[in-house]
Amino acid sequence: MAKNKSLFECIECGHQETKWLGRCPQCGAWNTMEETASTLKISGSTGRRKRNTTNKPGAAPFDSITVEEGFRYNCGIKEINRVLGGGIMVGSSILLGGEPGIGKSTLMMQLAGSVQTKGKVLYISGEESAVQLKMRAGRINVDTSNIAVLIETDLEVILAEAEKLMPSVIILDSIQTIISEEAGKVPGTVNQIKYCGHELISWSKENNSAFFFIAHVTKEGVIAGPKVLEHMVDTVLYFDHIESGLRVVRAVKNRFGSVDELGLFTMDETGLKEVADPASLFLTKRKGTIPPGITAVPVYEGSRVLMIEIQALTVPSKSGFSRIYSDKIDANRVSKIAAVLEKHISLKFSDQDIYVNVAGGIKLGEVGIEFALACALYSARTQIAFPPALAVAGEISLAGEILPTPHIDRRIKTASEMGFKYFAGPVLSKCKDCLNVSTIKEGIKAVFKDFKP
Ligand code: TYD
Ligand code: MG
């Protein structure tokens, strides 16, 4: 026979226990276990629940699946279309995380006004009043004719309104404010976010609405509670500052597109502005020679090439062993390239402290920067300046080879458009002002010794 048993749940992390505990065994918080309205049903026999499966379609042959065209909405914001993989997938769920003040509400309000859909856009706010929303929309000049506003934090009311309106796009600002009686008494807990997130995602999938969840991230970059939503949604976007004053939207998960794309914005008094031509944004303008330690590299970010300046500095180590200070390029990568230089061109780094930076504060994760990083380290260590008007790219193997690097022709083209007449790297096709180099030894010699413009 089945019997009901009380259930206690941590309001911080959602951990469940069948008895009350003073301290949550999962997150270690004190006095956070509360009895929940839901009960744990323990069956007398196997514990398996019987589910109603009569209306389920069942398995189908893979080849019978058809893909309909026109399943994405154009956001009306090119940078967001790019990050999403070509627009908003109908019925998809998207999490937009970012620190308070970065511009999440502004971005979503702009998107609400510009997205091209057949149905309405429902903007649900649990954070701001209707008047505040109206004032913001007015200030940033949003076309509000297709937007319905709902100031609400109760999940059940939200679902009922969505049912009435059947919007094409729903924006929820923010997931941390929503509450359902089914999941405890405090909004923003893991359990609330899990439960409300699941209900809202299921509703939007069934009804072909795209759903945007706004989530606040702390300074440390943790979306504490909303982290659980990352597994449930189709796409996770982060909105972040980079040092050059730009704001960047990047996908860290995308079931419908690449995660390498960047959406670049600036913010002024009339809202977020797209950065139309970012290729030269991260270059420092200089006249004449460039100081030692600095190199230029065309970086492939998503579907476009950006010219980036890498900076390196080496100083004799004070502690007797080498330390690497690099937060824009992975320190392990810097360490690997220093080791390759030490081994293959006998330039000692193991008694040096190495500092690496990227102009504009953008983080670089792709392998194509390695030859430029090697040149920056070489230049910093020897104080021989990198030639102006030259750009380099290429991946470096531990054996000291410069390996063929994806999209090399596009990199050369962008570099040349940005005024870098010459290029050195693993060049495959014919190119007049290119130096084709295939080992680090050959590459360093070509760039720092033989190069004559
Ligand atoms: P907001 O979108 O409210 O950020 P979030 O929802 O991520 O917390 O906007 C953040 C900041 O942007 C706010 O401090 C004011 C500033 N801002 C502008 O500079 N220009 C504008 O047009 C708007 C709407 C906001
Ligand atoms: Mg906000």
Side-chain angles (χ1 to χ4, degrees), residues 23-158:
R23 189 178 190 202
C24 171
Q26 181 163 288
C27 69
W30 289 94
N31 293 324
T32 52
M33 302 298 288
E34 284 188 2
E35 190 163 6
T36 66
S38 52
T39 51
L40 186 67
K41 279 206 165 160
I42 300 175
S43 156
S45 56
T46 61
R48 259 184 104 172
R49 276 196 296 152
K50 278 222 162 137
R51 302 185 64 193
N52 179 4
T53 53
T54 40
N55 292 329
K56 303 278 174 193
F62 200 82
D63 291 345
S64 71
I65 301 167
T66 53
V67 179
E68 286 170 34
E69 287 303 320
F71 47 82
R72 285 184 194 262
Y73 295 127
N74 177 353
C75 304
I77 303 174
K78 274 197 206 132
E79 294 295 289
I80 297 297
N81 282 340
R82 173 204 308 285
V83 176
L84 291 176
I88 307 171
M89 186 68 91
V90 172
S92 68
S93 47
I94 300 141
L95 177 68
L96 175 67
E99 280 179 23
I102 183 74
K104 301 180 294 298
S105 305
T106 308
L107 180 64
M108 284 296 108
M109 183 54 83
Q110 287 183 221
L111 184 139
S114 62
V115 64
Q116 290 157 27
T117 58
K118 286 199 194 107
K120 287 263 173 211
V121 177
L122 175 60
Y123 193 108
I124 307 160
S125 181
E127 306 222 330
E128 289 164 293
S129 68
V131 173
Q132 278 173 310
L133 292 181
K134 177 121 192 159
M135 280 167 59
R136 177 191 282 121
R139 199 168 59 243
I140 60 181
N141 209 9
V142 166
D143 172 5
T144 52
S145 56
N146 197 36
I147 308 175
V149 167
L150 174 65
I151 307 300
E152 187 54 68
T153 55
D154 186 318
L155 175 76
E156 281 72 29
V157 178
I158 289 171

Side-chain angles (χ1 to χ4, degrees), residues 302-346:
S303 59
R304 63 187 162 192
V305 179
L306 308 175
M307 279 308 296
I308 311 264
E309 176 181 303
I310 297 179
Q311 307 165 351
L313 169 73
T314 61
V315 288
S317 164
K318 290 170 225 55
S319 56
F321 56 90
S322 169
R323 280 204 232 184
I324 293 169
Y325 302 87
S326 174
D327 59 348
K328 301 294 179 278
I329 297 174
D330 183 10
N332 289 330
R333 173 163 285 159
V334 177
S335 175
K336 176 186 106 173
I337 299 302
V340 168
L341 288 170
E342 187 152 340
K343 175 77 184 169
H344 295 281
I345 62 161
S346 306

Side-chain angles (χ1 to χ4, degrees), residues 180-196:
S180 167
E181 274 186 12
E182 299 291 322
K185 299 186 185 83
V186 187
T189 61
V190 171
N191 212 37
Q192 281 287 1
I193 290 170
K194 245 191 210 169
Y195 182 82
C196 296

Side-chain angles (χ1 to χ4, degrees), residues 177-256:
T177 60
I178 302 308
I179 184 157
S180 167
E181 274 186 12
E182 299 291 322
K185 299 186 185 83
V186 187
T189 61
V190 171
N191 212 37
Q192 281 287 1
I193 290 170
K194 245 191 210 169
Y195 182 82
C196 296
H198 179 262
E199 292 296 298
L200 292 166
I201 291 167
S202 306
W203 188 89
S204 58
K205 287 236 181 302
E206 277 162 28
N207 295 285
N208 270 337
S209 281
F211 206 106
F212 282 89
F213 294 91
I214 293 180
H216 298 296
V217 181
T218 60
K219 276 259 179 270
E220 293 73 41
V222 192
I223 28 178
K227 196 92 192 155
V228 296
L229 258 191
E230 285 195 0
H231 307 292
M232 297 157 70
V233 295
D234 299 309
T235 303
V236 179
L237 306 180
Y238 273 92
F239 202 3
D240 208 355
H241 284 287
I242 50 176
E243 281 159 23
S244 44
L246 290 175
R247 292 166 200 236
V248 190
V249 177
R250 69 166 80 225
V252 294
K253 165 182 173 179
N254 194 356
R255 288 190 181 138
F256 306 121

